[in-house]
Amino acid sequence: MSITRSRLRAHAIEWHVAPTPEVDARHRLHFLELQRRCNNELCRHEALTCNAWLDRLESKRVSQRDLLISVMQFGISLRQIFLARQHHALRLMEHLPAPEMDGGSAVVVCFDAVGEPWCPSLPNMGIGDPYRMSDRLHDWWQAWQRQFAALGGKDWGIAAGWAPTQDICEHIEHHYNAMDPAVCLGVIVALENALSTDFWLRLTRALQEQCAEENLALPDGGFFIDAETDARLQARHGLYLLESASVHDMLDDAVFFQSAHRTLTILTRFWSALANAGQMRH
């Protein structure tokens, strides 16, 4: 596997999975082409490579009020993602959307701002614990509330979201666990890959700098480390499900990419809304 440095891959990722030996040549070639398209079309989409919210945070031109309200909206979206993962974990007991295969070794390559690659390590098997992560999310949210009184007591259900926040949450709620494997996997692969880049490193750094300017510690910064690992576990799991659906002829490729691109388009609008928090709250 040859990984080259390229600014075209800034903040992007690539997955490299070789189908297991028992997969026949036709299905093997089809999945490898599917994986190539995912890497080229989904893993380098602007929702990953041009995150307007992170760009704005890193510019250090964000007031505390706008920072807090954007973090709150982000928390609302995370809550919906973790709920969807819980539902997905329950569906796995029914082997939906497709039985996960004992896939080969999955390598994820992340690219930083200048296209420098690195390969984060992951546990050998399995997915994250969505119930534990929901508890961690609650702890993280309470830590932010304790440190910033402006957040205290505010609802963070979908109803408290801006229109773009509600759009991404409702999209996840209705399609992350869709009965059609192509629709379901399009959402999972697109969304979890978008959260598997250097996103969490950039967010941690930006929020640390914002807090440091006010002589404050970053509330529960360890949550981001857990969230990053969990997203990559879920993204790898989604890729294994994609391989299985493809090999078992359960996947409509056109519907899959349509679902994935729609997800990333909605996500791009969400990042843009967070970046423009000052306008959204008026």
Side-chain angles (χ1 to χ4, degrees), residues 133-183:
M133 286 306 301
S134 289
D135 289 341
R136 288 288 289 114
L137 176 63
H138 183 263
D139 293 342
W140 170 77
W141 179 243
Q142 287 195 320
W144 274 86
Q145 287 182 313
R146 285 193 299 269
Q147 183 144 300
F148 298 100
L151 290 175
K154 290 191 175 181
D155 175 38
W156 60 325
I158 295 179
W162 300 328
T165 308
Q166 293 186 12
D167 286 347
I168 189 65
C169 288
E170 290 173 0
H171 183 71
I172 293 167
E173 181 180 17
H174 296 147
H175 302 296
Y176 192 103
N177 291 290
M179 294 303 295
D180 185 338
V183 174

Side-chain angles (χ1 to χ4, degrees), residues 3-241:
I3 305 296
T4 58
R5 175 171 174 168
S6 169
R7 290 183 181 273
L8 295 176
R9 296 191 178 102
H11 309 306
I13 66 172
E14 291 178 357
W15 283 98
H16 298 271
V17 175
T20 53
E22 61 269 20
V23 175
D24 64 87
R26 180 176 68 85
H27 285 101
R28 173 184 294 270
L29 289 175
H30 178 260
F31 173 70
L32 291 176
E33 172 59 20
L34 193 65
Q35 181 176 242
R36 185 194 66 79
R37 282 194 64 189
C38 285
N39 284 336
N40 288 337
E41 295 182 23
L42 307 182
C43 294
R44 298 174 190 169
H45 189 278
E46 64 177 339
L48 287 70
T49 62
C50 301
N51 187 307
W53 184 43
L54 293 182
D55 289 345
R56 183 67 186 278
L57 291 180
E58 290 169 344
S59 74
K60 302 180 182 179
R61 297 194 305 271
V62 182
S63 68
Q64 184 190 93
R65 182 176 175 84
D66 289 350
L67 170 68
L68 294 179
I69 199 169
S70 66
V71 168
M72 176 183 173
Q73 295 296 311
F74 179 58
I76 293 173
S77 73
L78 282 183
R79 182 172 180 268
Q80 192 60 49
I81 292 170
F82 290 174
L83 288 173
R85 289 176 183 170
Q86 290 179 20
H87 186 191
H88 180 79
L90 291 174
R91 290 191 69 200
L92 289 178
M93 299 178 183
E94 305 171 0
H95 301 294
L96 293 172
E100 181 176 342
M101 301 178 66
D102 293 328
S105 176
V107 177
V108 56
V109 180
C110 295
F111 297 88
D112 64 13
V114 296
E116 190 69 34
W118 83 94
C119 301
S121 60
L122 285 173
N124 290 331
M125 295 296 294
I127 61 176
D129 183 341
Y131 300 97
R132 173 181 173 273
M133 286 306 301
S134 289
D135 289 341
R136 288 288 289 114
L137 176 63
H138 183 263
D139 293 342
W140 170 77
W141 179 243
Q142 287 195 320
W144 274 86
Q145 287 182 313
R146 285 193 299 269
Q147 183 144 300
F148 298 100
L151 290 175
K154 290 191 175 181
D155 175 38
W156 60 325
I158 295 179
W162 300 328
T165 308
Q166 293 186 12
D167 286 347
I168 189 65
C169 288
E170 290 173 0
H171 183 71
I172 293 167
E173 181 180 17
H174 296 147
H175 302 296
Y176 192 103
N177 291 290
M179 294 303 295
D180 185 338
V183 174
C184 167
L185 291 174
V187 177
I188 292 175
V189 170
L191 182 66
E192 301 296 356
N193 277 321
L195 297 176
S196 294
T197 64
D198 60 347
F199 173 88
W200 300 100
L201 292 175
R202 295 177 68 194
L203 181 60
T204 299
R205 187 183 305 117
L207 294 181
Q208 280 177 333
E209 292 177 356
Q210 292 273 354
C211 289
E213 290 182 0
E214 302 180 41
N215 296 316
L216 298 171
L218 178 66
D220 193 10
F223 167 69
F224 292 155
I225 298 173
D226 290 343
E228 177 182 275
T229 300
D230 211 62
R232 287 184 180 142
L233 286 171
Q234 195 74 356
R236 182 182 65 182
H237 165 69
L239 194 63
Y240 285 150
L241 288 178

